[in-house]
Amino acid sequence: MDKRTLSQARPFLVLGLVLLAWLLLPTAVRTLLRVSFSEFHAPAVVTASHLRDLQAFWGTRLHSKRDLIEAGRDLARLNAHYELGIQELETIRLERDRLEALLDLPSVPGYRYEIARVARRDFTSWWQQVLIRKGSRHGLEEGMGVIFSGGVVGVVREVHTYTAVVDLLSSPRVRMAVFVEGDDRPVSFRGGANPALGPAFGRADFVPADISASPDRPRLVVTSGLGGIFPAGLAVGLIEQLEPGPDGLFRTGRVALDPRLNRLAEVAVLVPLEDGSGPAP
Amino acid sequence: MRDPRGIIVALIGLGLLFFTAEANHFLALLGLTVFFGGLPLAFAALFFRLRQGVLCAAVLGLAMGAGLPGSPLPVLALFLFSHAVIFALRPRLHAHEATSRTIAVLLANAICFLGLSLLYPPPLWALGSWLGRLGLEFFLSQLMLMGMTPWLFSLTDRTLNLFGIIVEEELRELS
């Protein structure tokens, strides 16, 4: 082998050596390296997120007093509506507790909502994740469910001290058992892709053959409550069409996810309550 | 450290990755992202000795891989591979010419792009829409890189000058 060929092969040799060294490194060192890099860039991401919030704050200050008064009036109406909803929920919760005690049923898992700002939306062709400004210091753990006003956002994948990474619902890594609204047979949901200039989508598998859906009459897919990550009944997406599955026994369909997922600014992490009591108001 | 050039370029690269991620935060509204990881890699591969270039590629690869699903090893390997390809092609590329630099950057970025697509494939049933988005993002990223290459190379060159490192002169000596 001549000198020139050897010189050109050197970088590939070094590449092999570096990879071999990485594989031979103890797991603790590899984990430490990974955590160090994650924690190293977290302050920069969080600072940028705070700066965006500050920018939004100053932008809002430019609104006229009239706009603010109108917004305050609208909010007061919404608050009154929600107050009534909370009272209604409290009545239902008491009734549920009474029935559980009467029938000796296991209690429904309760959750605490940890509200978190989205520090970064990272929706590439390769992965779809968001970085939120809450971490292990706030009681977050891997595998917890994340929701927003439109339904399910995804699942916490990684937790750092002050930040956490959430796999979005459209990520192929996210799988869960769901129900088609109005039916209590479990269906499998899997994230799909997040196409350009359009809403993200996933896929529902093992849909019973007697369930139908069409673009005119889409069917809502909701969480099943199985697995305990999400409570039952949270919106996942809409099935607009169902096709026969490969086995002929079940059907499969594309689930259109909420377009607001691409604009997430604030989410709530579902932190399970240890005593199994109902969700905090 | 006696020779800080690898770390300087890695830090500039980290800055570039940070601002790209900020841009992607807003581009997420359109369901689009851009990727410029090949830019600092190509600079290090074109102008530095192997050790410094590998150091720079390793720092960038680990920094990017640390925030992604799974082990950071595949991304580290991809960045090192991309660096190795440009380094091996260096004798054939005229690093002092703007066109050659741009070609090197585009090639390094394309390798990273293709590699990431192989590392994080979509489910087969979503392949169509995934390929559509991937193609658009690749085109956008490469197009923007053509404009960014002279600027980032100049910025890196000036920053290295502040530390008394004149890469072009050293390159002439090396060749």
Side-chain angles (χ1 to χ4, degrees):
Chain A
M1 194 184 285
D2 65 357
K3 199 178 167 187
R4 188 174 165 166
T5 316
L6 198 69
S7 160
Q8 285 184 350
R10 252 179 72 218
F12 296 99
L13 195 69
V14 172
L15 166 66
L17 286 174
V18 171
L19 296 183
L20 190 68
W22 175 269
L23 289 172
L24 292 175
L25 270 179
T27 313
V29 179
R30 275 186 270 170
T31 310
L32 182 74
L33 262 174
R34 185 182 175 155
V35 170
S36 308
F37 271 97
S38 299
E39 296 287 5
F40 170 75
H41 83 273
V45 179
V46 170
T47 307
S49 166
H50 279 294
L51 283 174
R52 280 198 300 271
D53 284 351
L54 191 67
Q55 193 183 7
F57 170 75
W58 285 105
T60 313
R61 276 183 67 108
L62 293 175
H63 286 288
S64 69
K65 279 186 181 169
R66 188 189 168 89
D67 288 345
L68 292 175
I69 290 166
E70 280 176 7
R73 187 197 58 204
D74 293 346
L75 275 176
R77 282 181 191 159
L78 269 177
N79 279 341
H81 178 70
Y82 289 144
E83 285 287 338
L84 284 173
I86 288 170
Q87 284 173 26
E88 204 174 324
L89 274 176
E90 188 61 21
T91 315
I92 293 169
R93 196 174 69 81
L94 289 172
E95 177 66 11
R96 187 199 67 194
D97 291 349
R98 195 182 67 78
L99 287 171
E100 274 175 8
L102 195 71
L103 300 169
D104 202 18
L105 292 171
S107 61
V108 176
Y111 301 92
R112 167 172 71 83
Y113 300 111
E114 187 67 52
I115 306 293
R117 296 286 294 172
V118 171
R120 180 170 283 166
R121 295 183 287 255
D122 193 7
F123 306 156
T124 66
S125 300
W126 308 301
W127 52 82
Q128 283 120 49
Q129 58 189 27
V130 289
L131 189 85
I132 56 171
R133 283 191 335 219
K134 289 277 172 78
S136 56
R137 281 284 170 101
H138 308 91
L140 268 56
E141 285 174 19
E142 285 170 20
M144 285 178 175
V146 183
I147 58 171
F148 79 124
S149 55
V152 177
V153 169
V155 179
V156 175
R157 190 188 75 227
E158 250 176 68
V159 180
H160 308 296
T161 313
Y162 295 101
T163 55
V165 183
V166 179
D167 269 331
L168 203 71
L169 201 53
S170 54
S171 167
R173 295 167 58 87
V174 173
R175 288 163 187 255
M176 65 172 88
V178 293
F179 288 152
V180 175
E181 199 181 36
D183 193 273
D184 60 358
R185 288 167 289 181
V187 167
S188 166
F189 170 84
R190 187 187 174 187
N194 200 339
L197 311 170
F201 63 88
R203 189 162 92 157
D205 288 312
F206 306 113
V207 181
D210 56 329
I211 293 178
S212 61
S214 66
D216 299 334
R217 290 190 61 196
R219 299 290 299 269
L220 182 66
V221 175
V222 294
T223 51
S224 61
L226 300 171
I229 297 176
F230 297 101
L234 293 173
V236 171
L238 289 169
I239 301 183
E240 291 175 338
Q241 206 159 1
L242 283 167
E243 293 162 1
D247 54 9
L249 295 172
F250 297 100
R251 305 174 89 184
T252 60
R254 183 171 154 139
V255 181
L257 304 178
D258 196 316
R260 287 175 295 172
L261 280 174
N262 281 354
R263 303 193 294 269
L264 283 175
E266 198 164 74
V267 295
V269 183
L270 297 169
V271 182
L273 294 172
E274 282 174 15
D275 62 356
S277 57
Chain B
M1 189 183 281
R2 276 183 300 175
D3 192 352
R5 68 187 70 197
I7 291 295
I8 293 170
V9 176
L11 286 175
I12 291 173
L14 287 176
L16 179 72
L17 288 181
F18 173 78
F19 285 112
T20 310
E22 282 300 301
N24 286 341
H25 174 82
F26 292 104
L27 281 172
L29 301 172
L30 300 171
L32 282 173
T33 47
V34 283
F35 178 78
F36 305 130
L39 192 43
L41 288 180
F43 186 93
L46 283 177
F47 294 108
F48 291 169
R49 286 173 195 277
L50 186 59
R51 185 187 296 182
Q52 294 293 333
V54 167
L55 176 72
C56 175
V59 170
L60 288 172
L62 277 174
M64 187 161 173
L68 300 182
S71 161
L73 178 66
V75 180
L76 172 69
L78 183 62
F79 273 50
L80 286 171
F81 177 73
S82 178
H83 169 268
V85 169
I86 304 298
F87 191 89
L89 287 174
R90 191 158 90 172
R92 289 177 200 163
L93 293 164
H94 304 286
H96 52 275
E97 282 179 13
T99 317
S100 295
R101 291 174 178 182
T102 310
I103 289 171
V105 168
L106 293 180
L107 182 62
N109 208 55
I111 292 170
C112 291
F113 222 94
L114 187 69
L116 286 169
S117 307
L118 294 173
L119 289 175
Y120 298 97
L124 274 179
W125 51 269
L127 196 64
S129 58
W130 181 79
L131 280 176
R133 174 174 174 171
L134 194 74
L136 184 61
E137 287 180 346
F138 180 70
F139 176 73
L140 266 179
S141 303
Q142 299 292 79
L143 194 71
M144 289 174 79
L145 269 181
M146 281 194 232
M148 284 170 64
T149 302
W151 165 73
L152 196 100
F153 270 50
S154 173
L155 174 81
T156 313
D157 199 30
R158 291 297 170 99
T159 312
L160 289 170
N161 287 354
L162 291 176
F163 290 85
I165 302 162
I166 318 286
V167 284
E168 297 236 17
E169 273 182 20
E170 290 177 16
L171 188 70
R172 244 174 263 133
E173 282 169 23
L174 275 174
S175 58

